[in-house]
């Protein structure tokens, strides 16, 4: 039973890939399009979703920039993907701090691409596709360690959510 459960969980996450910054839409997207895109990209993580009202609140709380003529640009989409993933393990205040830390130390393209690569890397370890994480990035800064720990927490949260959901489905 346990092996089948783990196989089922692993299959649900195998091949998970987030588009890198350059692969995100280069044209502006309306709120509903952003919501749909992000939820589709994050669907394999299951409980990681955003609603239009959540996005509007993130703008209101100045966590992301205001859309221009109601259109969200690539940078905002990248930040919203990060927010959607991180909000499951961070309080709103700490999420705001994490965004500020990353913005103060890295360009969005660098921070986002690192985030994507490390998330895929650590999910592969947590779900048993590989024994150790691959080294990601060249620097060894406190900001990178913070983000790595955040992604580790997210990866374990995704595993636990999938585990208990699979158990529930067996009952």
């Amino acid at each position: 039973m346990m092996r089948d459960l783990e196989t089922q969980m692993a299959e649900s996450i195998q091949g998970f890939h987030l588009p890198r910054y350059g692969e995100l839409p280069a044209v502006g997207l309306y709120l509903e399009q952003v919501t749909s895109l992000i939820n589709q990209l994050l669907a394999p993580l299951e409980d990681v979703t955003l609603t239009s009202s959540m996005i509007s609140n993130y703008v209101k709380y100045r966590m992301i920039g205001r859309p221009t003529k109601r259109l969200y640009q690539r940078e905002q989409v990248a930040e919203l993907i990060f927010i959607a993933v991180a909000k499951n393990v961070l309080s709103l205040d700490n999420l705001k701090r994490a965004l500020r830390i990353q913005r103060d130390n890295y360009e969005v393209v660098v921070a986002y691409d690192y985030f994507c690569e490390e998330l895929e890397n650590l999910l592969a370890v947590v779900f048993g596709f590989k024994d150790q994480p691959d080294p990601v990035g060249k620097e060894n800064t406190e900001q990178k360690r913070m983000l790595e720990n955040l992604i580790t927490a997210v990866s374990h949260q995704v595993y636990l959510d999938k585990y208990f959901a699979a158990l529930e489905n067996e009952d």
Side-chain angles (χ1 to χ4, degrees):
M1 174 185 120
M2 191 59 73
R3 197 71 189 130
D4 291 336
L5 185 67
E6 287 183 345
T7 302
Q8 175 188 348
M9 290 169 41
E11 287 172 355
S12 74
I13 202 80
Q14 190 168 19
F16 175 74
H17 173 77
L18 283 175
R20 299 310 186 251
Y21 190 84
E23 299 168 329
L24 293 173
V27 298
L29 300 174
Y30 290 104
L31 182 59
E32 291 301 321
Q33 293 172 309
V34 171
T35 305
S36 177
L37 172 67
I38 292 173
N39 288 334
Q40 180 182 359
L41 292 172
L42 299 177
L45 305 182
E46 292 182 22
D47 290 337
V48 180
T49 59
L50 283 181
T51 64
S52 296
S53 62
M54 291 166 81
I55 293 172
S56 295
N57 283 332
Y58 296 138
V59 171
K60 179 179 166 184
Y61 297 132
R62 297 184 179 170
M63 293 173 69
I64 64 166
R66 290 200 168 283
T68 305
K69 296 183 181 176
R70 297 183 5 194
L71 295 173
Y72 291 81
Q73 303 304 317
R74 184 182 283 171
E75 184 172 310
Q76 293 157 307
V77 172
E79 290 176 334
L80 284 166
I81 291 171
F82 171 77
I83 289 169
V85 171
K87 72 177 177 58
N88 291 326
V89 296
L90 291 179
S91 68
L92 187 59
D93 286 340
N94 286 340
L95 182 53
K96 289 166 89 172
R97 284 186 188 105
L99 283 166
R100 187 173 52 248
I101 289 167
Q102 292 306 309
R103 286 183 188 130
D104 289 349
N105 291 281
Y106 302 99
E107 293 180 32
V108 172
V109 62
V110 172
Y112 175 76
D113 283 352
Y114 170 80
F115 163 75
C116 291
E117 191 173 343
E118 191 68 89
L119 180 60
E120 294 164 6
N121 186 29
L122 293 175
L123 282 170
V125 172
V126 169
F127 280 85
F129 298 122
K130 56 186 175 182
D131 294 328
Q132 294 184 14
D134 298 328
V136 176
K138 295 177 179 102
E139 295 181 339
N140 189 19
T141 64
E142 77 178 57
Q143 295 85 7
K144 181 182 174 209
R145 283 190 302 280
M146 179 276 298
L147 188 57
E148 186 177 281
N149 282 302
L150 167 63
I151 295 168
T152 299
V154 165
S155 298
H156 287 285
Q157 183 70 50
V158 169
Y159 178 90
L160 291 170
D161 288 346
K162 284 185 172 291
Y163 181 84
F164 289 115
L167 277 180
E168 192 173 297
N169 288 338
E170 284 189 349
D171 290 344

